[in-house]
Coordinates of all heavy atoms in Angstrom, one line a residue:
M1 N -8.8 -22.1 -8.6 CA -8.3 -22.6 -7.3 C -9.3 -22.4 -6.2 O -10.1 -21.4 -6.2 CB -7.0 -21.7 -6.9 CG -6.5 -22.1 -5.6 SD -5.1 -21.1 -5.1 CE -4.5 -21.9 -3.8
R2 N -9.4 -23.4 -5.4 CA -10.4 -23.3 -4.3 C -9.6 -22.9 -3.0 O -8.5 -23.4 -2.8 CB -11.0 -24.7 -4.0 CG -12.1 -25.0 -5.1 CD -12.7 -26.3 -4.8 NE -13.6 -26.2 -3.7 CZ -15.0 -26.1 -3.8 NH1 -15.5 -26.0 -5.0 NH2 -15.8 -26.0 -2.8
T3 N -10.3 -22.2 -2.2 CA -9.7 -21.8 -0.9 C -10.8 -21.5 0.1 O -12.0 -21.4 -0.3 CB -8.7 -20.6 -1.0 OG1 -8.0 -20.5 0.3 CG2 -9.5 -19.3 -1.2
T4 N -10.5 -21.5 1.4 CA -11.5 -21.2 2.4 C -11.1 -19.9 3.1 O -9.9 -19.8 3.4 CB -11.6 -22.4 3.4 OG1 -12.0 -23.6 2.8 CG2 -12.6 -22.0 4.5
I5 N -12.0 -19.0 3.2 CA -11.7 -17.8 4.0 C -12.8 -17.7 5.1 O -13.9 -18.2 5.0 CB -11.8 -16.5 3.1 CG1 -13.1 -16.4 2.4 CG2 -10.7 -16.6 2.0 CD1 -13.3 -15.0 1.7
R6 N -12.4 -17.0 6.1 CA -13.3 -16.8 7.2 C -13.7 -15.3 7.3 O -12.8 -14.4 7.3 CB -12.7 -17.2 8.6 CG -12.3 -18.6 8.6 CD -11.6 -19.0 9.9 NE -11.1 -20.3 9.9 CZ -11.7 -21.3 10.4 NH1 -12.9 -21.2 10.9 NH2 -11.1 -22.5 10.3
L7 N -14.9 -15.0 7.2 CA -15.4 -13.6 7.3 C -16.4 -13.4 8.4 O -17.1 -14.4 8.8 CB -16.2 -13.3 6.0 CG -15.4 -13.4 4.6 CD1 -16.4 -13.2 3.5 CD2 -14.4 -12.3 4.6
P8 N -16.4 -12.3 9.0 CA -17.4 -12.0 10.0 C -18.8 -12.1 9.3 O -19.0 -11.8 8.1 CB -17.2 -10.5 10.4 CG -15.8 -10.2 10.0 CD -15.5 -11.1 8.8
Q9 N -19.8 -12.6 10.1 CA -21.1 -12.9 9.5 C -21.7 -11.7 8.9 O -22.3 -11.8 7.8 CB -22.0 -13.4 10.6 CG -23.4 -13.9 10.1 CD -23.2 -15.1 9.1 OE1 -22.6 -16.1 9.4 NE2 -23.9 -15.0 8.0
D10 N -21.6 -10.5 9.5 CA -22.2 -9.3 8.9 C -21.6 -8.9 7.6 O -22.3 -8.5 6.7 CB -22.1 -8.1 9.9 CG -20.7 -7.7 10.2 OD1 -19.8 -8.6 10.4 OD2 -20.4 -6.5 10.4
L11 N -20.3 -9.1 7.4 CA -19.6 -8.9 6.2 C -20.1 -9.8 5.1 O -20.4 -9.5 4.0 CB -18.1 -8.9 6.3 CG -17.3 -8.7 5.0 CD1 -17.6 -7.3 4.4 CD2 -15.8 -8.8 5.4
Y12 N -20.1 -11.1 5.4 CA -20.6 -12.1 4.5 C -22.0 -11.8 4.0 O -22.3 -11.9 2.9 CB -20.5 -13.5 5.0 CG -21.1 -14.5 4.1 CD1 -20.3 -14.9 2.9 CD2 -22.3 -15.1 4.2 CE1 -20.8 -15.8 2.0 CE2 -22.9 -16.0 3.3 CZ -22.1 -16.3 2.2 OH -22.6 -17.2 1.2
D13 N -22.9 -11.4 5.0 CA -24.3 -11.1 4.7 C -24.3 -9.9 3.7 O -25.1 -10.0 2.7 CB -25.1 -10.7 5.9 CG -25.3 -11.9 6.8 OD1 -25.1 -13.1 6.4 OD2 -25.6 -11.7 8.0
E14 N -23.5 -8.9 3.9 CA -23.5 -7.8 3.0 C -23.0 -8.2 1.6 O -23.5 -7.8 0.6 CB -22.6 -6.7 3.6 CG -22.6 -5.4 2.8 CD -21.8 -4.3 3.5 OE1 -21.5 -4.4 4.7 OE2 -21.6 -3.3 2.8
V15 N -21.9 -9.0 1.6 CA -21.4 -9.5 0.3 C -22.5 -10.3 -0.5 O -22.7 -10.1 -1.6 CB -20.1 -10.4 0.5 CG1 -19.7 -11.1 -0.8 CG2 -19.0 -9.5 1.0
R16 N -23.1 -11.2 0.3 CA -24.2 -12.1 -0.3 C -25.3 -11.2 -0.9 O -25.8 -11.4 -2.0 CB -24.7 -13.1 0.7 CG -25.6 -14.1 0.1 CD -26.2 -15.1 1.1 NE -27.1 -14.3 1.9 CZ -27.2 -14.4 3.2 NH1 -26.5 -15.3 3.9 NH2 -28.0 -13.6 3.9
E17 N -25.8 -10.2 -0.1 CA -26.9 -9.4 -0.5 C -26.5 -8.5 -1.7 O -27.3 -8.4 -2.7 CB -27.3 -8.4 0.6 CG -28.0 -9.2 1.7 CD -28.2 -8.3 3.0 OE1 -28.0 -7.1 2.9 OE2 -28.5 -8.9 4.0
T18 N -25.2 -8.1 -1.8 CA -24.8 -7.3 -2.9 C -24.7 -8.2 -4.2 O -25.1 -7.8 -5.3 CB -23.4 -6.7 -2.6 OG1 -23.5 -5.8 -1.5 CG2 -22.9 -5.9 -3.8
A19 N -24.2 -9.4 -4.0 CA -24.1 -10.3 -5.1 C -25.5 -10.6 -5.7 O -25.7 -10.6 -6.9 CB -23.4 -11.6 -4.7
L20 N -26.5 -10.9 -4.8 CA -27.8 -11.1 -5.2 C -28.4 -9.9 -6.0 O -29.0 -10.1 -7.0 CB -28.7 -11.5 -4.0 CG -28.5 -12.9 -3.4 CD1 -29.3 -13.0 -2.1 CD2 -29.0 -13.9 -4.4
R21 N -28.2 -8.8 -5.4 CA -28.7 -7.5 -6.0 C -28.1 -7.3 -7.4 O -28.8 -6.9 -8.3 CB -28.4 -6.4 -5.1 CG -29.3 -5.1 -5.3 CD -29.1 -4.1 -4.3 NE -27.7 -3.8 -3.8 CZ -27.3 -4.2 -2.6 NH1 -28.1 -4.8 -1.7 NH2 -26.0 -3.9 -2.2
E22 N -26.9 -7.6 -7.6 CA -26.2 -7.5 -8.9 C -26.3 -8.7 -9.8 O -25.7 -8.7 -10.8 CB -24.7 -7.1 -8.6 CG -24.5 -5.7 -7.9 CD -23.1 -5.4 -7.6 OE1 -22.2 -6.1 -8.1 OE2 -22.9 -4.3 -7.0
R23 N -27.0 -9.7 -9.3 CA -27.2 -10.9 -10.1 C -25.8 -11.6 -10.5 O -25.6 -11.8 -11.7 CB -28.0 -10.7 -11.3 CG -29.4 -10.3 -10.9 CD -30.2 -10.0 -12.1 NE -31.6 -9.6 -11.7 CZ -32.7 -9.9 -12.2 NH1 -32.7 -10.7 -13.3 NH2 -33.8 -9.5 -11.8
R24 N -25.0 -11.8 -9.5 CA -23.7 -12.4 -9.7 C -23.4 -13.3 -8.6 O -24.1 -13.3 -7.6 CB -22.6 -11.3 -9.9 CG -22.5 -10.3 -8.8 CD -21.7 -9.1 -9.2 NE -20.3 -9.5 -9.4 CZ -19.4 -8.6 -9.5 NH1 -19.6 -7.3 -9.4 NH2 -18.1 -9.0 -9.6
T25 N -22.3 -14.0 -8.7 CA -21.9 -14.9 -7.6 C -21.1 -14.2 -6.5 O -20.5 -13.2 -6.8 CB -21.1 -16.1 -8.1 OG1 -19.8 -15.6 -8.6 CG2 -21.8 -16.9 -9.2
V26 N -21.2 -14.8 -5.3 CA -20.4 -14.3 -4.2 C -18.9 -14.3 -4.6 O -18.1 -13.4 -4.4 CB -20.6 -15.0 -2.9 CG1 -19.6 -14.7 -1.8 CG2 -22.0 -14.8 -2.4
T27 N -18.5 -15.4 -5.3 CA -17.1 -15.6 -5.7 C -16.7 -14.5 -6.6 O -15.6 -13.9 -6.4 CB -16.9 -17.0 -6.4 OG1 -17.2 -18.0 -5.5 CG2 -15.5 -17.1 -6.9
S28 N -17.5 -14.1 -7.6 CA -17.1 -13.1 -8.5 C -17.0 -11.7 -7.9 O -16.1 -10.9 -8.2 CB -18.0 -13.0 -9.7 OG -19.3 -12.5 -9.3
L29 N -17.8 -11.5 -6.9 CA -17.8 -10.2 -6.2 C -16.5 -10.1 -5.3 O -15.9 -9.1 -5.3 CB -19.1 -10.0 -5.3 CG -19.2 -8.7 -4.6 CD1 -19.2 -7.5 -5.5 CD2 -20.4 -8.7 -3.7
I30 N -16.2 -11.2 -4.6 CA -15.0 -11.2 -3.8 C -13.8 -11.1 -4.7 O -12.8 -10.3 -4.3 CB -15.0 -12.5 -2.9 CG1 -16.1 -12.5 -1.9 CG2 -13.6 -12.7 -2.3 CD1 -16.2 -13.7 -1.1
E31 N -13.7 -11.8 -5.8 CA -12.6 -11.7 -6.7 C -12.4 -10.3 -7.2 O -11.3 -9.8 -7.2 CB -12.8 -12.7 -7.9 CG -11.6 -12.6 -8.9 CD -11.9 -13.5 -10.1 OE1 -12.8 -14.3 -10.1 OE2 -11.1 -13.3 -11.1
E32 N -13.5 -9.7 -7.7 CA -13.4 -8.3 -8.2 C -12.9 -7.4 -7.1 O -12.0 -6.5 -7.3 CB -14.7 -7.8 -8.7 CG -14.7 -6.4 -9.2 CD -16.0 -5.9 -9.6 OE1 -17.0 -6.1 -8.8 OE2 -16.1 -5.3 -10.7
S33 N -13.4 -7.5 -5.9 CA -13.1 -6.6 -4.7 C -11.6 -6.8 -4.4 O -10.9 -5.8 -4.1 CB -14.0 -6.9 -3.5 OG -15.3 -6.7 -3.9
L34 N -11.1 -8.0 -4.3 CA -9.7 -8.3 -4.0 C -8.8 -7.7 -5.1 O -7.8 -7.1 -4.8 CB -9.4 -9.8 -3.9 CG -9.9 -10.4 -2.6 CD1 -9.8 -11.9 -2.7 CD2 -9.2 -9.8 -1.4
R35 N -9.1 -7.9 -6.4 CA -8.3 -7.3 -7.4 C -8.3 -5.8 -7.3 O -7.2 -5.2 -7.5 CB -8.9 -7.7 -8.8 CG -8.6 -9.2 -9.1 CD -9.1 -9.5 -10.6 NE -9.1 -10.9 -10.8 CZ -8.0 -11.6 -11.1 NH1 -6.8 -11.0 -11.1 NH2 -8.0 -12.9 -11.3
E36 N -9.4 -5.1 -7.1 CA -9.4 -3.7 -6.9 C -8.6 -3.2 -5.7 O -7.9 -2.2 -5.8 CB -10.9 -3.2 -6.8 CG -11.7 -3.3 -8.1 CD -13.1 -2.9 -7.9 OE1 -13.5 -2.5 -6.8 OE2 -13.9 -2.9 -8.9
A37 N -8.7 -3.9 -4.6 CA -8.0 -3.5 -3.4 C -6.5 -3.7 -3.6 O -5.7 -2.8 -3.3 CB -8.4 -4.4 -2.2
L38 N -6.0 -4.8 -4.3 CA -4.6 -5.0 -4.5 C -4.1 -4.0 -5.5 O -3.0 -3.4 -5.4 CB -4.4 -6.4 -5.0 CG -4.6 -7.5 -4.0 CD1 -4.5 -8.9 -4.7 CD2 -3.6 -7.4 -2.9
A39 N -4.9 -3.6 -6.6 CA -4.4 -2.6 -7.5 C -4.3 -1.3 -6.9 O -3.3 -0.5 -7.1 CB -5.4 -2.6 -8.7
S40 N -5.2 -0.9 -6.0 CA -5.2 0.3 -5.3 C -4.0 0.4 -4.4 O -3.3 1.4 -4.4 CB -6.5 0.5 -4.5 OG -6.4 1.6 -3.7
R41 N -3.6 -0.6 -3.7 CA -2.4 -0.7 -2.9 C -1.2 -0.5 -3.7 O -0.3 0.2 -3.3 CB -2.4 -1.9 -2.0 CG -3.3 -2.0 -0.9 CD -3.2 -3.3 -0.2 NE -4.2 -3.4 0.9 CZ -3.9 -3.8 2.1 NH1 -2.7 -4.2 2.4 NH2 -4.9 -3.8 3.0
S42 N -1.1 -1.2 -4.8 CA 0.1 -1.1 -5.7 C 0.3 0.3 -6.2 O 1.4 0.8 -6.1 CB -0.1 -2.1 -6.8 OG 1.0 -1.9 -7.7
H43 N -0.8 1.0 -6.6 CA -0.6 2.4 -7.1 C -0.2 3.3 -5.9 O 0.6 4.2 -6.1 CB -2.0 2.9 -7.7 CG -2.3 2.2 -9.0 ND1 -1.4 2.2 -10.1 CD2 -3.3 1.4 -9.4 CE1 -1.9 1.5 -11.0 NE2 -3.1 1.0 -10.6
R44 N -0.8 3.1 -4.8 CA -0.5 4.0 -3.6 C 1.0 3.9 -3.3 O 1.7 4.8 -3.0 CB -1.3 3.7 -2.4 CG -2.6 4.4 -2.3 CD -3.3 4.2 -1.1 NE -4.0 2.9 -1.2 CZ -4.2 2.1 -0.2 NH1 -3.9 2.4 1.1 NH2 -4.8 0.9 -0.3
R45 N 1.5 2.6 -3.3 CA 2.9 2.4 -2.9 C 3.8 3.1 -3.8 O 4.8 3.7 -3.4 CB 3.2 0.9 -2.9 CG 4.4 0.5 -2.2 CD 4.6 -1.0 -2.1 NE 3.4 -1.7 -1.8 CZ 3.0 -2.8 -2.5 NH1 3.7 -3.3 -3.4 NH2 1.9 -3.4 -2.2
H46 N 3.5 3.1 -5.2 CA 4.4 3.7 -6.1 C 4.2 5.2 -6.2 O 5.1 6.0 -6.6 CB 4.2 3.1 -7.5 CG 4.6 1.6 -7.5 ND1 5.9 1.2 -7.2 CD2 3.9 0.5 -7.7 CE1 5.9 -0.1 -7.3 NE2 4.7 -0.6 -7.5
D47 N 3.0 5.7 -5.9 CA 2.7 7.1 -6.1 C 3.0 8.0 -4.9 O 3.1 9.2 -5.0 CB 1.2 7.3 -6.5 CG 0.9 6.7 -7.8 OD1 1.8 6.5 -8.6 OD2 -0.3 6.5 -8.1
A48 N 3.2 7.3 -3.8 CA 3.4 8.1 -2.5 C 4.8 8.8 -2.6 O 5.8 8.1 -2.8 CB 3.3 7.2 -1.3
P49 N 4.8 10.1 -2.3 CA 6.1 10.8 -2.3 C 6.9 10.4 -1.1 O 6.3 10.1 0.0 CB 5.7 12.2 -2.3 CG 4.4 12.3 -1.7 CD 3.7 11.0 -2.1
F50 N 8.2 10.3 -1.2 CA 9.1 10.0 -0.1 C 9.5 11.3 0.6 O 9.9 12.3 -0.1 CB 10.3 9.3 -0.6 CG 11.3 9.0 0.4 CD1 11.1 7.9 1.3 CD2 12.4 9.8 0.6 CE1 12.0 7.6 2.3 CE2 13.3 9.5 1.6 CZ 13.1 8.4 2.4
S51 N 9.4 11.3 1.9 CA 9.9 12.5 2.6 C 10.8 12.0 3.7 O 10.6 11.0 4.3 CB 8.7 13.3 3.2 OG 8.0 12.6 4.2
L52 N 11.8 12.8 4.0 CA 12.8 12.5 5.0 C 12.7 13.5 6.1 O 12.8 14.7 5.8 CB 14.2 12.5 4.4 CG 15.4 12.2 5.3 CD1 15.3 10.8 5.9 CD2 16.7 12.4 4.5
T53 N 12.5 13.1 7.3 CA 12.4 14.0 8.4 C 13.6 13.8 9.3 O 13.7 12.8 10.0 CB 11.1 13.8 9.2 OG1 10.0 13.9 8.3 CG2 10.9 14.8 10.3
P54 N 14.5 14.7 9.3 CA 15.7 14.6 10.2 C 15.3 14.6 11.7 O 14.3 15.3 12.0 CB 16.6 15.7 9.9 CG 16.0 16.3 8.6 CD 14.6 15.9 8.5
V55 N 16.0 13.9 12.5 CA 15.7 13.9 14.0 C 16.9 14.3 14.7 O 18.0 14.1 14.3 CB 15.1 12.5 14.5 CG1 13.8 12.3 13.8 CG2 16.1 11.4 14.2
G56 N 16.7 14.8 15.9 CA 17.8 15.1 16.8 C 18.3 16.5 16.5 O 18.0 17.1 15.4
G57 N 19.1 17.1 17.4 CA 19.6 18.5 17.2 C 18.5 19.4 17.0 O 17.4 19.4 17.6
D58 N 18.7 20.3 16.0 CA 17.7 21.3 15.7 C 16.7 20.9 14.6 O 15.9 21.6 14.2 CB 18.4 22.6 15.3 CG 19.2 22.5 14.0 OD1 19.2 21.4 13.4 OD2 19.8 23.5 13.6
G59 N 16.9 19.6 14.2 CA 16.0 19.0 13.2 C 16.3 19.4 11.8 O 15.5 19.0 10.9
G60 N 17.4 20.0 11.6 CA 17.7 20.4 10.2 C 19.0 19.7 9.7 O 19.6 18.9 10.4
L61 N 19.5 20.1 8.6 CA 20.7 19.6 8.0 C 21.9 20.4 8.5 O 21.8 21.5 9.0 CB 20.7 19.6 6.5 CG 19.6 18.9 5.8 CD1 19.5 19.2 4.4 CD2 19.8 17.4 6.1
R62 N 23.1 19.7 8.4 CA 24.3 20.5 8.7 C 24.5 21.6 7.7 O 24.0 21.5 6.6 CB 25.5 19.6 8.6 CG 25.8 18.7 9.7 CD 27.0 17.8 9.6 NE 28.1 18.3 8.8 CZ 29.1 17.5 8.4 NH1 29.2 16.3 8.7 NH2 30.1 18.1 7.7
P63 N 25.0 22.7 8.2 CA 25.2 23.8 7.2 C 26.0 23.4 6.0 O 27.0 22.6 6.2 CB 26.0 24.9 8.1 CG 25.7 24.5 9.5 CD 25.5 23.0 9.5
G64 N 25.6 23.8 4.8 CA 26.3 23.5 3.6 C 25.9 22.2 3.0 O 26.4 21.8 1.9
V65 N 25.0 21.4 3.6 CA 24.6 20.1 3.1 C 23.5 20.3 2.1 O 22.5 21.0 2.4 CB 24.2 19.1 4.2 CG1 23.6 17.9 3.6 CG2 25.3 18.8 5.1
D66 N 23.6 19.8 0.9 CA 22.6 19.9 -0.2 C 22.2 18.5 -0.6 O 23.0 17.8 -1.2 CB 23.2 20.7 -1.4 CG 22.1 20.8 -2.5 OD1 21.0 20.3 -2.3 OD2 22.5 21.4 -3.5
L67 N 21.0 18.0 -0.2 CA 20.6 16.7 -0.4 C 20.5 16.4 -1.9 O 20.5 15.2 -2.3 CB 19.3 16.4 0.3 CG 19.4 16.3 1.8 CD1 18.0 16.0 2.4 CD2 20.4 15.3 2.3
S68 N 20.4 17.4 -2.8 CA 20.3 17.1 -4.2 C 21.7 17.0 -4.9 O 21.7 16.7 -6.1 CB 19.5 18.2 -4.9 OG 20.1 19.5 -4.7
D69 N 22.8 17.2 -4.2 CA 24.1 17.1 -4.8 C 24.8 15.9 -4.3 O 25.4 15.8 -3.2 CB 24.9 18.4 -4.4 CG 26.3 18.4 -5.0 OD1 26.7 17.4 -5.6 OD2 26.9 19.5 -4.9
Q70 N 24.7 14.8 -5.0 CA 25.2 13.5 -4.6 C 26.7 13.5 -4.4 O 27.2 12.9 -3.5 CB 24.8 12.4 -5.6 CG 25.2 11.0 -5.1 CD 24.7 9.9 -5.9 OE1 23.7 10.1 -6.7 NE2 25.2 8.7 -5.7
A71 N 27.4 14.1 -5.3 CA 28.9 14.2 -5.2 C 29.3 14.8 -3.9 O 30.2 14.4 -3.2 CB 29.5 14.9 -6.4
A72 N 28.7 15.9 -3.6 CA 29.0 16.7 -2.3 C 28.7 15.8 -1.1 O 29.4 15.8 -0.1 CB 28.3 18.0 -2.3
L73 N 27.5 15.1 -1.2 CA 27.2 14.2 -0.1 C 28.2 13.1 0.1 O 28.6 12.8 1.3 CB 25.8 13.6 -0.3 CG 24.6 14.6 -0.1 CD1 23.3 13.9 -0.6 CD2 24.4 15.0 1.3
E74 N 28.6 12.5 -1.0 CA 29.6 11.4 -0.9 C 30.9 12.0 -0.3 O 31.6 11.3 0.6 CB 29.9 10.8 -2.2 CG 28.7 9.9 -2.7 CD 28.9 9.4 -4.1 OE1 30.0 9.5 -4.7 OE2 28.0 8.8 -4.6
E75 N 31.3 13.2 -0.6 CA 32.5 13.8 -0.1 C 32.4 14.0 1.4 O 33.3 13.8 2.2 CB 32.8 15.1 -0.8 CG 34.1 15.7 -0.5 CD 34.4 17.0 -1.3 OE1 34.1 17.0 -2.5 OE2 35.0 17.9 -0.7
L76 N 31.2 14.6 1.8 CA 31.0 14.8 3.2 C 31.0 13.5 4.0 O 31.6 13.4 5.1 CB 29.6 15.5 3.5 CG 29.6 17.0 3.2 CD1 28.1 17.4 3.2 CD2 30.4 17.7 4.2
M77 N 30.4 12.4 3.5 CA 30.4 11.1 4.2 C 31.8 10.5 4.2 O 32.2 9.9 5.2 CB 29.4 10.2 3.5 CG 28.0 10.6 3.7 SD 26.8 9.4 3.1 CE 27.1 9.4 1.3
T78 N 32.6 10.7 3.2 CA 34.0 10.2 3.2 C 34.8 10.9 4.2 O 35.6 10.3 5.0 CB 34.6 10.3 1.8 OG1 33.8 9.6 0.9 CG2 36.0 9.8 1.8
D79 N 34.6 12.2 4.3 CA 35.4 13.1 5.2 C 35.0 12.8 6.7 O 35.8 12.9 7.6 CB 35.2 14.6 5.0 CG 35.8 15.0 3.7 OD1 36.6 14.2 3.1 OD2 35.4 16.1 3.2
A80 N 33.8 12.3 6.9 CA 33.3 12.0 8.2 C 33.7 10.7 8.8 O 33.6 10.4 10.0 CB 31.7 12.1 8.3
R81 N 34.3 9.8 7.9 CA 34.7 8.5 8.4 C 36.0 8.6 9.3 O 36.8 9.4 9.0 CB 35.0 7.6 7.2 CG 33.8 7.2 6.5 CD 34.1 6.2 5.4 NE 32.9 5.9 4.6 CZ 32.8 5.6 3.3 NH1 34.0 5.4 2.7 NH2 31.7 5.4 2.7
P82 N 36.1 7.8 10.3 CA 37.2 7.8 11.2 C 38.5 7.3 10.5 O 38.6 6.6 9.6 CB 36.9 6.9 12.3 CG 35.6 6.2 12.0 CD 35.1 6.8 10.7

C-alpha cells in the first residue's frame, strides 16, 4: 500500500541517514519502527496494572467494604438503592 506521511525535516534526515548507514530503504526502516512502536503500546496496555483511587471524604472505603468479595459488594449496592 502507498501512503504519504509528513515528517519534520530533521526527523526525515535522521531516518534517511540511518537507512543509508544500515544499507536499507527508508520505507523498511519506517515500517520496522512503526511495528515496534505498535507492539510496545499493545504490551503496555495489557501489562499495566489497574489501580483504583477513591476520591472524596477521607479517601478510603466505607467500613466493612472488601473489594475482593463480589457477593458482598453486590449486596451493599443492592441495599444502597432507593
Side-chain angles (χ1 to χ4, degrees):
M1 175 181 193
R2 285 182 76 97
T3 190
T4 300
I5 60 172
R6 297 176 192 267
L7 299 173
Q9 187 64 49
D10 62 322
L11 178 58
Y12 178 74
D13 291 342
E14 187 174 345
V15 169
R16 190 185 67 221
E17 289 170 13
T18 301
L20 285 170
R21 199 170 42 250
E22 295 180 6
R23 295 178 182 221
R24 53 194 294 194
T25 65
V26 169
T27 299
S28 71
L29 183 61
I30 291 173
E31 179 183 350
E32 178 186 48
S33 299
L34 284 172
R35 288 185 190 281
E36 288 175 1
L38 291 172
S40 173
R41 286 179 182 224
S42 176
H43 291 301
R44 270 187 282 153
R45 194 173 321 132
H46 296 298
D47 293 343
F50 176 79
S51 67
L52 179 64
T53 305
V55 294
D58 63 2
L61 299 172
R62 280 180 31 190
V65 173
D66 179 3
L67 293 178
S68 64
D69 185 348
Q70 185 173 345
L73 287 171
E74 288 177 7
E75 186 177 323
L76 282 169
M77 291 187 292
T78 302
D79 292 344
R81 290 184 185 153

